[in-house]
Amino acid sequence: MTTYVWDYLLEYEKERPDLLDAVDQVFRSGRLVLAESVRGFERDFAGYHALPHCVGVDNGTNAITLALQALAVGPGDEVITVSNTAAPTVVAIDAAGATPVFVDVRDDDFLMDVTQLESAITSRTRCVLPVHLYGQCVDLEPIQRLCQRHGLVLLEDCAQAHGARQDGRLAGTTGDAAAFSFYPTKVLGAYGDGGAVLTARDDVDAALRRLRYYGMDTVYYTVQTPAHNSRLDEVQAEILRRKLTRLDTYIDGRQAVARRYAEALGDTDLVLPRTVPGNEHVYYVYVVRHPRRDDIVERLKEYDIHLNISYPWPVHTMTGFAHLGYAEGSLPVTERLAGEIFSLPMYPSLPTELQDKVIGAVREVLATL
């Protein structure tokens, strides 16, 4: 049986009656756009995080872009983030008209090296955008202090960290706003695209609701500030609303898969994920590290195991961001990791027999390197 890093079909079969009922409920409601399912999901997702506001949008990339705009970050401003992330993090900054500025990541957990932030701040810096990568949180307390000291806004990228906690506090509840993606692979995934922004600020909430709807306010067809259509779909909202009730179960399943990997591969020379003390890791992906990564990934194809690399090309090395002027070697840890990291299959419905197949194949390949 072909094995991939992610598969939703077993989960779908288990949840199919509820998911189809969600679709039917929306279709029978008579309201297909920004109706009760979107409002209900927004209430429930905000409530899960004990925050007053959630604004559903069409995808995680626009969640970042609209959040930046709602926070008054735009042309002429700089946003400090990392290059070891999915490209949409940086594409979203560019779409808001701001300039991304990169700091390196830490060698042991691959998260933003917050000790580099101070030296990256200039007179144009307006926002710090930490990425809660792979399923665990960046150290937010020093970032929050730095933002307060310099008058910066803090926007959390939580696309990979639904339900993750740091010292008991949920990802997305510390900054001025937090952006989420509900792409199907996520810890809380839709059956298509979707996103949301959480905030405790009334002004940011109001701005986001205008920005996702052409720039219109309570009176439709009257544009205050021109914007685009970035609405969350009713069907996806209802599916997410149902799945949100199972989010903690999904996290339990991912953590169980991670424990099996740790027990079975802990005695190999594969570098396994490190959980930062105080963090609760939700394992959006299970990223491991080895200097002969390419050989391992290629050899595993012989076992019909097809793995993923998150991420093989740091954003600052991409042609589309060459204008930022980052030379080779400017982010040494990020660049080194890009040649060594890869992901093992990770999803809560991963069958034990498939995980055992992966573990056995990895051990055999490592033994022959």
Side-chain angles (χ1 to χ4, degrees):
M1 180 178 181
T2 302
T3 305
Y4 299 101
V5 292
W6 178 78
D7 191 312
Y8 72 93
L9 291 175
L10 287 174
E11 181 179 286
Y12 174 68
E13 287 303 319
K14 180 179 179 180
E15 299 183 356
R16 184 172 181 269
D18 188 43
L19 296 171
L20 294 183
D21 182 69
V23 175
D24 188 60
Q25 176 182 310
V26 172
F27 287 174
R28 289 178 180 272
S29 71
R31 294 287 305 279
L32 299 177
V33 177
L34 290 185
E36 181 51 37
S37 290
V38 169
R39 289 192 294 269
F41 173 70
E42 290 175 338
R43 286 193 302 269
D44 294 350
F45 198 61
Y48 181 88
H49 292 85
L51 287 175
H53 304 300
C54 170
V55 180
V57 297
D58 54 345
N59 57 65
T61 310
N62 278 338
I64 296 174
T65 299
L66 269 60
L68 289 170
Q69 293 172 335
L71 292 164
V73 178
D77 296 328
E78 293 178 345
V79 177
I80 303 176
T81 190
V82 292
S83 182
N84 181 35
T85 183
T89 302
V90 185
V91 168
I93 297 170
D94 183 76
T99 301
V101 173
F102 300 116
V103 295
D104 214 341
V105 296
R106 300 191 299 203
D107 189 70
D108 57 351
D109 55 32
F110 318 153
L111 298 171
M112 174 183 276
D113 185 347
V114 300
T115 66
Q116 298 187 19
L117 286 174
E118 190 88 47
S119 62
I121 295 174
T122 72
S123 60
R124 296 174 56 195
T125 306
R126 174 65 180 140
C127 175
V128 178
L129 203 170
V131 179
H132 299 316
L133 195 70
Y134 303 150
Q136 68 172 329
C137 296
V138 177
D139 189 4
L140 289 174
E141 185 177 340
I143 300 178
Q144 189 176 37
R145 289 198 306 267
L146 178 140
C147 287
Q148 292 170 347
R149 189 165 64 250
H150 290 274
L152 309 177
V153 294
L154 172 55
L155 172 60
E156 299 175 59
D157 182 345
C158 300
Q160 303 186 14
H162 309 73
R165 295 176 185 270
Q166 183 172 82
D167 298 324
R169 186 166 188 170
L170 279 165
T173 61
T174 299
D176 292 275
F180 288 80
S181 169
F182 303 119
Y183 187 73
T185 62
K186 303 301 184 183
V187 180
L188 178 61
Y191 276 72
D193 282 312
V197 181
L198 289 175
T199 184
R201 291 176 48 175
D202 294 346
D203 60 329
V204 174
D205 173 68
L208 285 165
R209 294 186 186 281
R210 288 192 299 271
L211 288 165
R212 76 169 176 189
Y213 199 81
Y214 309 108
M216 297 179 187
D217 207 337
T218 54
V219 180
Y220 291 162
Y221 306 112
T222 301
V223 173
Q224 293 192 5
T225 302
H228 301 286
N229 171 11
S230 301
R231 302 177 299 235
L232 176 62
D233 181 76
E234 275 287 291
V235 171
Q236 298 301 341
E238 186 59 37
I239 289 173
L240 288 166
R241 191 180 186 187
R242 307 285 183 98
K243 292 189 71 178
L244 178 59
T245 65
R246 299 187 283 271
L247 175 56
D248 291 343
T249 301
Y250 299 149
I251 293 171
D252 290 343
R254 289 174 179 272
Q255 291 172 338
V257 171
R259 284 193 298 271
R260 289 198 295 272
Y261 279 136
E263 292 167 1
L265 297 173
D267 63 340
T268 70
D269 62 348
L270 205 62
V271 179
L272 304 183
R274 171 184 178 266
T275 299
V276 178
N279 274 359
E280 181 176 340
H281 204 315
V282 297
Y283 297 100
Y284 164 58
V285 283
Y286 193 87
V287 175
V288 297
R289 180 179 177 184
H290 196 280
R292 295 188 62 181
R293 184 270 312 280
D294 293 343
D295 292 332
I296 295 169
V297 170
E298 192 61 30
R299 286 279 309 280
L300 286 172
K301 292 178 183 178
E302 299 171 11
Y303 296 80
D304 209 12
I305 297 171
H306 302 268
L307 302 184
N308 190 39
I309 302 170
S310 299
Y311 300 94
W313 300 287
V315 179
H316 72 282
T317 69
M318 297 179 182
T319 302
F321 293 102
H323 63 282
L324 297 176
Y326 285 85
E328 183 178 350
S330 57
L331 299 172
V333 178
T334 295
E335 292 169 30
R336 184 166 63 252
L337 291 175
E340 298 181 356
I341 55 178
F342 63 105
S343 302
L344 300 182
M346 169 57 73
Y347 48 97
S349 59
L350 177 65
T352 301
E353 59 270 22
L354 280 187
Q355 188 176 12
D356 288 343
K357 170 189 170 183
V358 172
I359 290 167
V362 168
R363 291 187 69 90
E364 288 181 15
V365 169
L366 289 173
T368 62
L369 291 179

